[in-house]
Amino acid sequence: MADLRTNIAGIESPNPFWLASAPPTNSGYQVQRAFEAGWGGAVWKTLGDPILNVSSRFAAVSFNGQKVAGFNNIELITDRPLEVNLKEIYETKKKFPNHAIIASLMVEPKQEKWHEIVKRVEEAGVDGLELNFGCPHGMAERGMGAASGQVPSLVEQQTYWVKEVAKTPVIVKLTPNITDITATAEAAVNGGADAISMINTINSLAGVDIDTWNTIPHVGGKGAHGGYCGPAVKPIALNMVGECARHSHINVPISGIGGISNWQDAVEFMLMGSTSVQVCTAAMHHGFRIVEDMIDGLSNYLDGKGIQSVTEIIGKSVPKYSDWGDLDLNYKIVARINNDVCINCNKCHIACEDTSHQCIDMYTEADGTKGLRVREEDCVGCNLCSIVCPEDGAIDMVEMTHELPPMTWNERQAALGKVACEVDIAAK
Amino acid sequence: MSEYTQYLQEKDKIDVLLNQGYSIKSITENLSGAFVEFERITGSTITSETLHILTADARKYFSVKLIHQ
Ligand SMILES: Cc1cc2nc3c(=O)[nH]c(=O)nc-3n(C[C@H](O)[C@H](O)[C@H](O)COP(=O)(O)O)c2cc1C
């Protein structure tokens, strides 16, 4: 069986599956049950000056019968005094010495505030710290969370203050509510971060009730923006992890978070550069025991590929993640319809005809059999037909042999630049 | 006319000029597509021809020809 043990910036855990800082890690009772279920680590619900919460707090977006496709919350950090949390952290660590407990922290952007909380939390025996620069609501209005995390100089400064006193590894958790996450990731590295984690939640409003005109969720008829997470945010998180992993100045390990719901999602995040993964929404939706399938699935996947240790897959897809300008303009795929499998629903024809390149023809044989055929020479390989096709295996996207040698946009522009070349007719 | 047929026609025009000994001298790209100026020098005579290329595939095609000319 493959070795799932993980070491991120010196924080060791029996497997890469951690619970993210959120309601599942609110208390010692919960974290201990999670460890019993098999979770390798837990990032404790963010500690700081205890807050006051509102009711209600959560909302979910369902899509076509799929419950919790996205999840929205307006909950803040812990509402329990620091001493209570630290006592439970201490007890939990004693019972589970081999599991990782990371304390998530958020205080005002003042050096003495950071020094105080870091020292007190480390005394309780945590394995590492995670700085919450990501909470997008409530705390941000008070200058903390995302309000700090959107300003690279504040990220760097506060990380530096923490590193002045921290004895355990420091993970900086980044907000996705920023145009270019590599700017804040680099700031964290410059401040001395030992690792970074991403993403926290994305600014969101789950919906508006079209009968009452209230926001969803609402608090007595009033709403405020919340943070979005769950399966819907996975592509956004995965890109942010990939962008950081391939950035030459961001040379610390990454803990990937955002929409991870099963072992396959976890593998994707690890291939894209995550050393560990963190999960919140999936655990809230299905309970702690989902980790059993995650562990089994990951083990079987690694065994099937003959891989000894999970660490071997970290970052394996990163060299394949590039800029658009480095993609081969002459690489060509086309759609091919497998008429044995096709159920003639015509969705591909409609999609292509109405919204793509009009290259899927409907035909009727002499015996009256109806079918669909792709005019391959007109197909641009956009994938839309295979995306909308409801029948697995009915449409294959097949690679064509290169008619022209590979050429990227950057190579083309360099070649055009060498001959007398104008790009603006106004100059003529 | 399908875009592919249009591409084949533009590709043909490019090939004809290249086969006649022309090479790409300049390219102007703008909102209307690409204007590719071909030039041939025979002795002291310089002749030039300009093609207005409309299709995306033909713009890829002349770029490949330019890289390899
Ligand atoms: C209800 C709720 C409360 C959360 N509270 C915190 C928090 O206190 N500290 C923190 O760093 N992140 C918090 N998060 C964000 C999660 O840790 C995580 O970054 C985010 O939910 C994305 O992961 P997911 O898609 O697996 O849920 C919270 C998320 C939810 C849903």
Side-chain angles (χ1 to χ4, degrees):
Chain A
M1 194 177 136
D3 185 357
L4 299 190
R5 279 175 306 165
T6 306
N7 181 330
I8 174 164
I11 304 172
E12 293 178 356
S13 58
N15 62 54
F17 301 112
W18 294 2
L19 283 172
S21 174
T25 60
N26 214 19
S27 66
Y29 168 75
Q30 290 166 283
V31 173
Q32 289 173 30
R33 285 191 62 236
F35 287 165
E36 273 158 16
W39 291 90
V43 186
W44 210 270
K45 175 74 184 168
T46 302
L47 308 174
D49 290 334
I51 53 75
L52 300 172
N53 266 318
V54 292
S55 157
S56 60
R57 301 178 195 177
F58 309 151
V61 173
S62 301
F63 190 76
N64 271 351
Q66 158 75 56
K67 291 214 84 175
V68 197
F71 193 79
N72 173 272
N73 86 90
I74 52 171
E75 175 182 294
L76 304 185
I77 63 172
T78 187
D79 57 3
R80 306 188 313 154
L82 188 63
E83 293 74 16
V84 177
N85 279 302
L86 294 187
K87 183 169 171 284
E88 292 177 18
I89 287 175
Y90 176 79
E91 288 164 1
T92 307
K93 189 66 207 169
K94 259 191 129 176
K95 277 195 190 159
F96 295 89
N98 299 325
H99 289 66
I101 300 184
I102 291 91
S104 168
L105 308 177
M106 184 195 288
V107 291
E108 284 169 61
K110 291 184 182 146
Q111 187 184 30
E112 63 277 14
K113 285 273 187 187
W114 282 109
H115 281 190
E116 182 196 356
I117 196 163
V118 167
K119 286 179 191 161
R120 291 182 64 184
V121 162
E122 286 193 332
E123 274 170 18
V126 294
D127 299 291
L129 308 172
E130 186 180 80
L131 314 187
N132 178 350
F133 294 147
C135 188
H137 46 270
M139 307 310 290
E141 290 164 26
R142 304 169 203 174
M144 291 177 265
S148 278
Q150 286 161 338
V151 184
S153 58
L154 281 177
V155 170
E156 180 174 341
Q157 179 68 79
Q158 293 180 91
T159 308
Y160 185 80
W161 287 333
V162 170
K163 285 296 289 179
E164 283 177 332
V165 290
K167 296 193 179 86
T168 60
V170 175
I171 305 170
V172 173
K173 182 170 179 180
L174 300 170
T175 175
N177 297 308
I178 185 162
T179 313
D180 178 5
I181 200 161
T182 64
T184 43
E186 201 176 335
V189 172
N190 292 341
D194 300 294
I196 48 177
S197 58
M198 70 202 71
I199 57 173
N200 209 308
T201 52
I202 302 174
N203 283 339
S204 62
L205 171 60
V208 176
D209 185 320
I210 59 172
D211 293 322
T212 64
W213 303 357
N214 277 331
T215 61
I216 305 172
H218 72 92
V219 179
K222 245 190 184 173
H225 83 270
Y228 202 47
C229 52
V233 310
K234 190 191 115 187
I236 297 166
L238 199 53
N239 168 57
M240 289 184 167
V241 167
E243 290 296 346
C244 288
R246 74 191 184 94
H247 195 288
S248 59
H249 298 158
I250 302 170
N251 42 21
V252 295
I254 299 170
S255 184
I257 321 167
I260 297 167
S261 309
N262 50 42
W263 68 266
Q264 291 95 331
D265 294 339
V267 168
E268 288 182 56
F269 272 78
M270 297 190 84
L271 289 171
M272 207 33 97
S274 300
T275 299
S276 71
V277 292
Q278 299 185 31
V279 176
C280 165
T281 302
M284 292 180 75
H285 190 183
H286 303 293
F288 288 149
R289 292 191 58 183
I290 56 163
V291 76
E292 292 170 12
D293 280 349
M294 289 176 155
I295 292 170
D296 279 356
L298 179 61
S299 290
N300 293 339
Y301 169 79
L302 296 172
D303 290 346
K305 287 203 168 299
I307 296 170
Q308 313 273 306
S309 161
V310 68
T311 55
E312 291 171 46
I313 65 168
I314 298 167
K316 282 290 184 283
S317 295
V318 176
K320 293 172 179 275
Y321 204 43
S322 183
D323 291 324
W324 191 93
D326 293 326
L327 305 181
D328 179 9
L329 293 166
N330 291 330
Y331 173 80
K332 189 164 164 68
I333 54 168
V334 297
R336 212 164 269 171
I337 295 170
N338 182 354
N339 281 305
D340 296 339
V341 182
C342 173
I343 55 168
N344 268 311
C345 70
N346 290 337
K347 274 195 88 75
C348 59
H349 169 81
I350 293 164
C352 189
E353 202 65 15
D354 288 359
T355 66
S356 195
H357 283 75
Q358 300 80 46
C359 68
I360 300 182
D361 296 330
M362 295 194 280
Y363 65 86
T364 311
E365 304 274 24
D367 64 0
T369 322
K370 288 185 187 308
L372 292 150
R373 190 185 300 123
V374 177
R375 288 194 322 280
E376 292 186 359
E377 66 278 10
D378 286 323
C379 174
V380 300
C382 71
N383 286 338
L384 182 64
C385 55
S386 70
I387 290 168
V388 301
C389 176
E391 212 49 33
D392 275 351
I395 300 182
D396 291 325
M397 299 304 300
V398 289
E399 237 174 71
M400 305 300 279
T401 45
H402 262 93
E403 257 177 43
L404 296 172
M407 173 187 68
T408 69
W409 169 257
N410 290 337
E411 287 163 352
R412 176 188 192 268
Q413 294 312 97
L416 261 65
K418 282 193 193 142
V419 296
C421 164
E422 290 175 38
V423 287
D424 185 358
I425 199 160
K428 268 240 147 185
Chain B
M1 177 169 43
S2 90
E3 181 130 348
Y4 182 68
T5 316
Q6 200 183 347
Y7 158 63
L8 288 181
Q9 289 179 358
E10 292 189 336
K11 176 176 180 286
D12 259 4
K13 286 184 191 162
I14 294 167
D15 285 341
V16 165
L17 288 175
L18 293 176
N19 289 337
Q20 288 173 356
Y22 282 85
S23 57
I24 297 171
K25 186 185 172 227
S26 75
I27 295 158
T28 302
E29 294 202 296
N30 57 38
L31 294 173
S32 306
F35 296 85
V36 187
E37 192 187 349
F38 292 82
E39 185 181 76
R40 181 174 62 182
I41 304 170
T42 24
S44 57
T45 335
I46 300 178
T47 39
S48 63
E49 291 278 348
T50 300
L51 293 181
H52 180 190
I53 301 297
L54 300 171
T55 65
D57 278 343
R59 283 186 286 117
K60 289 181 186 176
Y61 185 69
F62 76 65
S63 309
V64 168
K65 292 291 164 190
L66 174 67
I67 288 172
H68 294 96
Q69 92 174 1

